[in-house]
Amino acid sequence: MTPVPTPETQFFWDKARAHELWLPMCVDSRRHFFPPRLFSPFTGGAVEWRPASGRARLVSFLIVHRAAPGFEDKVPYIVALAELEEGPRMLTNLPGAPIDPAGLTIGAPLTVTFEKCGDMTLPQFCLASHP
Amino acid sequence: MSDVVIVGAAESTRLGVIPDQSATSLATESALLALAEAGLGIADVDGVAGTLSPVDLAFMLGVRPRWLDGTMVGGCSYMLHVRHATAAIRSGQAEVVVIAHGESGRSRVGAAVFPREPSSTAGQFELPYGVLGAYSRFTLPVMAYLHKYGLNEADLAKVPVAQSRWASRNPRAVRPALLTVDDVLASPLIAWPFHRLECCPVNDGGGALVMTTKARAADLNLRYPPVVVAGSGESCEGPGPAFMEDLTSFRAFRDASAEALRSAGLTHTDIEHLMIYDAFAHVPLYGLEDAGFVGKGEAVDFIDSGATSPGGALPLNTNGGGLLYAHTGMYGMFALLEGVRQLQGRAAAQVDKVRTSLVLGVGGMFSAAGAVALRAANS
């Protein structure tokens, strides 16, 4: 499935197209959050966009054997959660990583990368040891 | 507060694969069976609730309602309907409420197609990563949980193993086999570390509850003893597992279960029977810990000790659970029905002298939660 931006998320996707990862941040509390919202989920106050470091760590994963529609030729594939240095979590497929639980360690360092998804560009994360 | 009771609790005649009945007729069949248990007819009903349109339910049943609840937050919606109906009956907005569930999960007869809106939060930030199915979305936090407590694949398998001791005593269970850890690990991988027997089946079926006042119940010719709605709770957290505050705990389970116990005036040691909505094997682990029946990271050992199995101190998912009994898609109604049957003394795998039950449901995928504390009327 190709994501369709809303006015609240358009900036995120525009930056992804330029291979940049940006996160919304609560101006009052200086805390980052995700997914994007027009108002801070911490204070209800103003939000500004900030570039993210692109560094994350692996906090959970699955190896999917039963394909979702459109992913039939991809099984088995990884679905993982990356926890960004700034705090929020994002999904990823860990491109380039071994499709083997023994090769995936919770806490492993990840770095952001970008891949084509239809006419959009999708942020992904790969193992820092497999750039 | 013990003035509202459940007087009817029925399932569709058949459960499993029912290609000749729509979701709506599975719900209405169940509603009529539940009303018959209470000695009530359509003309007595003045409130209707369900996840199918309550307008459709009322129309198909022939009810002229003065109270409707179409709350739809996923599979725990029925716990919320019970909670809302209790308030409505208590305040006089309705006297006899039918809550009905019907789902053609397997055969998809007259069933709605889940919207997959690519501009929704999930459509933008989850689905592009291949997480279209519940088995690759609901299950996502489990490695964070297992890693935190030093647990592994075989530990997760202990959940269906324990529940199979109940399912094997239940002739209606769609997966009635007594299981070992090896059996579970030998079933096909769906999304590692989840195997088929750690993922719910997808079935057709229905169920319904009838609720009224204790005073009205006293005048009815009831087939089974009334069950008191002693307390309830509801809450929500977020759009999906990726966005949980803590991947190893579900905030809405914590909040809804605490509210149910508090409003019932019950403590954990008062609860003699437990139902925890188990679409996947990790959910009862979260539920046991988040509801406070065991400490963090202790749920696997508790289940493995036999405490939740037949003869154990805290019988859990005594119909076999969604994993082994049946799972239509929104299983919450079946968890409630089993809690009611246990307190009425007519469950397929009946627990001896059970007086209280807590039924904890999840909606969406770690999105919403509902909890209902039930008590036998004569206790």
Side-chain angles (χ1 to χ4, degrees):
Chain A
M1 175 181 279
T2 304
V4 172
T6 61
E8 294 79 8
T9 64
Q10 187 68 51
F11 183 91
F12 175 85
W13 291 111
D14 287 347
K15 289 297 181 184
R17 191 182 299 279
H19 288 204
E20 293 176 30
L21 184 67
W22 286 63
L23 290 172
M25 187 189 75
C26 166
V27 172
D28 298 320
S29 68
R30 314 301 290 174
R31 288 170 67 188
H32 295 81
F33 61 90
F34 194 78
R37 277 157 271 197
L38 282 186
F39 307 101
S40 162
F42 308 118
T43 67
V47 168
E48 66 183 33
W49 286 95
R50 307 287 295 179
S53 72
R55 287 187 293 273
R57 58 189 188 88
L58 178 63
V59 291
S60 203
F61 66 91
L62 300 165
I63 298 175
V64 178
H65 288 257
R66 177 182 290 189
F71 284 76
E72 291 86 353
D73 57 339
K74 296 206 169 73
V75 284
Y77 62 90
I78 297 169
V79 175
L81 273 175
E83 191 162 291
L84 277 64
E85 206 170 56
E86 292 82 2
R89 284 182 224 115
M90 297 180 66
L91 272 91
T92 179
N93 300 115
L94 294 184
I99 311 292
D100 175 6
L104 300 169
T105 309
I106 299 296
L110 307 175
T111 52
V112 74
T113 182
F114 296 87
E115 71 180 27
K116 293 284 286 177
C117 177
D119 58 354
M120 299 287 287
T121 302
L122 198 61
Q124 286 280 13
F125 291 83
C126 53
L127 293 174
S129 54
H130 294 77
Chain B
M1 301 290 260
S2 58
D3 47 347
V4 177
V5 291
I6 293 169
V7 290
E11 295 182 6
S12 54
T13 310
R14 291 173 294 161
L15 196 60
V17 182
I18 313 170
D20 55 330
Q21 248 180 296
S22 67
T24 304
S25 85
L26 288 163
T28 52
E29 179 197 9
S30 305
L32 292 168
L33 291 168
L35 284 166
E37 285 184 357
L40 290 165
I42 291 296
D44 298 302
V45 178
D46 60 357
V48 175
T51 50
L52 299 165
S53 157
V55 175
D56 280 354
L57 281 174
F59 175 73
M60 290 299 187
L61 280 168
V63 169
R64 184 175 179 176
R66 61 186 176 115
W67 181 86
L68 300 171
D69 183 8
T71 300
M72 172 49 185
V73 292
C76 68
S77 298
Y78 312 100
M79 286 76 173
L80 276 65
H81 298 150
V82 169
R83 175 170 163 85
H84 303 168
T86 302
I89 292 168
R90 193 168 282 158
S91 68
Q93 291 179 3
E95 189 182 17
V96 176
V97 171
V98 168
I99 304 169
H101 162 76
E103 200 162 3
S104 187
R106 166 63 68 187
S107 306
R108 314 299 301 165
V109 183
V113 175
F114 268 113
R116 300 289 186 195
E117 174 50 52
S119 66
S120 65
T121 297
Q124 292 186 68
F125 302 115
E126 294 188 81
L127 307 190
Y129 298 95
V131 295
L132 255 70
Y135 59 87
S136 56
R137 186 160 182 247
F138 205 164
T139 51
L140 188 52
V142 79
M143 284 304 290
Y145 176 91
L146 296 178
H147 176 79
K148 181 174 181 179
Y149 300 117
L151 301 167
N152 61 33
E153 211 185 348
D155 290 313
L156 189 61
K158 291 170 181 170
V159 174
V161 166
Q163 291 185 192
S164 77
R165 296 170 191 142
W166 293 110
S168 63
R169 297 165 190 227
N170 192 332
R172 263 168 80 88
V174 301
R175 289 172 169 172
L178 200 55
L179 302 171
T180 65
V181 167
D182 286 344
D183 293 333
V184 176
L185 297 181
S187 66
L189 267 174
I190 302 295
W192 189 92
F194 288 85
H195 303 77
R196 180 180 287 163
L197 291 170
E198 291 155 323
C199 303
C200 62
V202 183
N203 306 119
D204 304 327
L209 292 164
V210 179
M211 296 171 59
T212 190
T213 62
K214 205 169 188 176
R216 179 78 185 269
D219 294 333
L220 296 173
N221 182 21
L222 301 179
R223 198 175 302 165
Y224 304 104
V227 168
V228 176
V229 180
S232 60
E234 67 187 72
S235 191
C236 67
E237 182 164 349
F243 310 112
M244 296 169 81
E245 290 173 352
D246 175 354
L247 292 174
T248 67
S249 175
F250 179 30
R251 188 186 73 192
F253 265 174
R254 301 198 303 272
D255 291 352
S257 59
E259 171 91 0
L261 289 173
R262 186 196 60 70
S263 57
L266 296 170
T267 64
H268 292 90
T269 52
D270 295 320
I271 298 296
E272 299 174 345
H273 174 261
L274 189 57
M275 295 298 293
I276 300 175
Y277 191 127
D278 57 326
F280 296 91
H282 62 316
V283 185
L285 304 177
Y286 283 66
L288 277 168
E289 295 175 14
D290 292 337
F293 287 96
V294 298
K296 297 293 295 168
E298 294 175 1
V300 165
D301 282 347
F302 186 68
I303 286 172
D304 196 36
S305 76
T308 63
S309 294
L314 187 60
L316 167 66
N317 292 344
T318 50
N319 57 354
L323 290 176
L324 304 178
Y325 177 64
H327 197 290
T328 51
M330 289 186 283
Y331 165 78
M333 174 58 75
F334 296 95
L336 284 163
L337 291 170
E338 173 66 9
V340 171
R341 287 191 300 256
Q342 286 286 349
L343 296 180
Q344 293 175 329
R346 54 152 172 154
Q350 181 64 45
V351 179
D352 222 18
K353 298 190 184 81
V354 61
R355 295 164 301 179
T356 53
S357 178
L358 182 71
V359 186
L360 179 59
V362 60
M365 303 177 199
F366 286 135
S367 290
V372 177
L374 299 170
R375 208 178 62 227
N378 52 2
S379 66

